[in-house]
Amino acid sequence: MPHMTAFARNQWYVAAYAGEVGREELLGRTILGEPLVLYRTEEDGTPVALADRCVHRRFPLHEKPSRLDGDKLVCGYHGFTYDTSGTCVYVPGQKRIPRTARVASYPVVEQDSLVWVWIGDPALADPQTIPRARHLDSPGWVTVRGMEPIDADYGLLVDNLLDLSHETYLHGGYIGTPEVAETPITTEVDEGAGIVRVSRHMDDAACPPFYARSTGIQGRITRWQDIEYHAPCLYLLHSRIAPVGVVPEADGSDPNGFHTEITYAITPSADGHVYDFWMVSRDWAVDDAEVTEFLRANNHTVVMQDVDALNVLQKTLGSERTGYQELSINIDTGGLAARRILARLVEEGEKPVEKVQ
């Protein structure tokens, strides 16, 4: 077995897009090895996340014919019924409900069109610590999005996203040009906050088809890629392109540039499996449906190139001899910092929590 990145349990993770959680269909997701069922309450639409296994015979609660009865979830196998706290309120054939008839209920926060869940100690779940991605549902922004499951360790996806030099080779003809791999990076690490920033500023680069066809820019561009990774789950790539020679205004406004926010939620599902939530947001050509569809289809292709590569890599690592060595170079600075932070978050999550008297 290849080395697996351990899970930091006392952290927030994206379980779903807001639009995936409703009342018509019960949504099943596995986060950090824990199967969950998600739905919304009837009155105010608040998301609920419960353990997805009935206490009676372990039937998955998200599977048909399980259903909602108001805000109660009715198991489709024998009718055990749970309220939003996970407490069983009905069992068939008897009045007395066993004390152990309950399933776990997980803290949930809906923010920036994402549904976040907390798998660890509920007493530590502070919504204020969830990183923001306001562009995902801000006026004046349009977002395309999708989610691909990958049969690979989530640490491999973190590595992939923090080293964009692979764009030149894996994504040539889409988002990659020679300059991406050739341009040195700068890396800043905020160990305490668990944030890694990796920047690559290209003064004179080819315009890849992803941007040439969506913006109409012809010729060479300045291209800025500023990554902000909030361990363990949220990855923000602030992308700016402009024709060569166009300099932003002193106040930071950029009337002739194109800003695109590329967001990933990296959610470990189980050992060797990760949910790759991907989003591309723009504040230009927002009414152009053709641009929207082009960016969605093009980025989906790019994501699938990553999916295929990481699936291959996971299988390869699984067949490596014990004690193999990987080589790291300058481009890996951000990824190595992320590994270090993830290891610390795992370690901190395993320490016993001191109870306040």
Side-chain angles (χ1 to χ4, degrees):
M1 278 292 288
H3 168 73
M4 292 289 177
T5 309
F7 300 147
R9 294 184 69 82
N10 286 321
Q11 300 289 325
W12 291 99
Y13 292 93
V14 172
Y17 292 123
E20 293 183 287
V21 181
R23 292 184 56 80
E24 296 298 313
E25 297 280 337
L26 296 162
L27 179 66
R29 285 275 150 82
T30 299
I31 313 291
L32 309 193
E34 302 288 341
L36 309 184
V37 55
L38 294 109
Y39 65 95
R40 291 185 183 276
T41 58
E42 196 166 34
E43 190 172 335
D44 61 5
T46 303
V48 176
L50 301 178
D52 188 32
R53 296 288 184 270
C54 181
V55 293
H56 176 232
R57 289 293 178 264
R58 311 300 293 163
F59 188 78
L61 293 169
H62 80 276
E63 292 280 6
K64 288 185 168 71
S66 297
R67 60 182 175 81
L68 292 175
D69 175 10
D71 287 345
K72 297 191 289 291
L73 179 52
V74 182
C75 176
Y77 193 15
H78 294 97
F80 278 62
T81 302
Y82 303 90
D83 66 16
T84 56
S85 74
T87 303
C88 185
V89 293
Y90 169 82
V91 299
Q94 63 185 60
K95 287 277 188 284
R96 190 186 70 78
I97 297 172
R99 273 186 310 109
T100 55
R102 59 182 307 115
V103 297
S105 172
Y106 298 90
V108 183
V109 172
E110 185 172 358
Q111 179 175 282
D112 302 329
S113 81
L114 303 172
V115 176
W116 296 81
V117 297
W118 181 277
I119 300 296
D121 181 348
L124 302 177
D126 178 3
Q128 297 300 315
T129 62
I130 300 175
R132 299 305 303 257
R134 290 180 173 84
H135 51 272
L136 293 176
D137 62 359
S138 287
W141 287 83
V142 173
T143 300
V144 294
R145 63 184 81 207
M147 189 278 280
E148 297 298 332
I150 309 179
D151 295 325
D153 173 39
Y154 83 98
L156 296 182
L157 181 56
V158 174
D159 273 354
N160 171 279
L161 292 171
L162 279 167
D163 172 22
L164 294 181
S165 69
H166 79 274
E167 288 182 355
T168 300
Y169 303 96
L170 191 61
H171 306 309
Y174 292 89
I175 56 176
T177 68
E179 295 81 10
V180 182
E182 291 164 4
T183 304
I185 59 167
T186 60
T187 307
E188 292 176 33
V189 183
D190 186 334
E191 296 277 356
I195 299 172
V196 180
R197 293 182 173 88
V198 180
S199 294
R200 183 182 268 110
H201 290 176
M202 295 158 266
D203 293 330
D204 186 345
C207 189
F210 183 82
Y211 286 120
R213 287 188 51 192
S214 57
T215 66
I217 289 180
Q218 296 176 341
R220 310 282 289 180
I221 58 170
T222 58
R223 185 179 184 186
W224 295 356
Q225 296 176 322
D226 295 300
I227 295 168
E228 198 181 311
Y229 169 58
H230 297 256
C233 189
L234 193 70
Y235 170 100
L236 307 169
L237 169 57
H238 312 297
S239 168
R240 173 201 180 264
I241 68 158
V244 165
V246 173
V247 180
E249 302 290 336
D251 65 359
S253 66
D254 199 356
N256 297 306
F258 294 83
H259 290 97
T260 309
E261 294 287 343
I262 294 145
T263 310
Y264 283 86
I266 304 162
T267 301
S269 172
D271 280 340
H273 301 277
V274 59
Y275 295 122
D276 181 356
F277 292 90
W278 59 267
M279 297 142 266
V280 179
S281 309
R282 71 185 194 279
D283 62 356
W284 45 272
V286 292
D287 297 322
D288 193 324
E290 204 173 324
V291 169
T292 299
E293 176 51 28
F294 171 77
L295 292 178
R296 188 205 61 75
N298 206 276
N299 205 68
H300 178 255
T301 301
V302 167
V303 168
M304 291 311 297
Q305 290 170 336
D306 282 335
V307 170
D308 292 343
L310 294 179
N311 284 343
V312 167
L313 184 55
Q314 183 72 33
K315 282 183 184 167
T316 304
L317 293 175
S319 63
E320 287 278 25
R321 69 184 189 281
T322 305
Y324 70 88
Q325 290 291 312
E326 61 175 14
L327 172 70
S328 295
I329 57 173
N330 288 345
I331 58 173
D332 303 306
T333 310
L336 294 175
R339 291 184 189 183
R340 196 167 62 242
I341 289 169
L342 288 171
R344 176 175 60 77
L345 294 178
V346 170
E347 192 181 328
E348 288 175 356
E350 289 171 350
K351 289 177 186 167
V353 179
E354 290 184 15
K355 293 279 188 281
V356 179
Q357 295 299 319

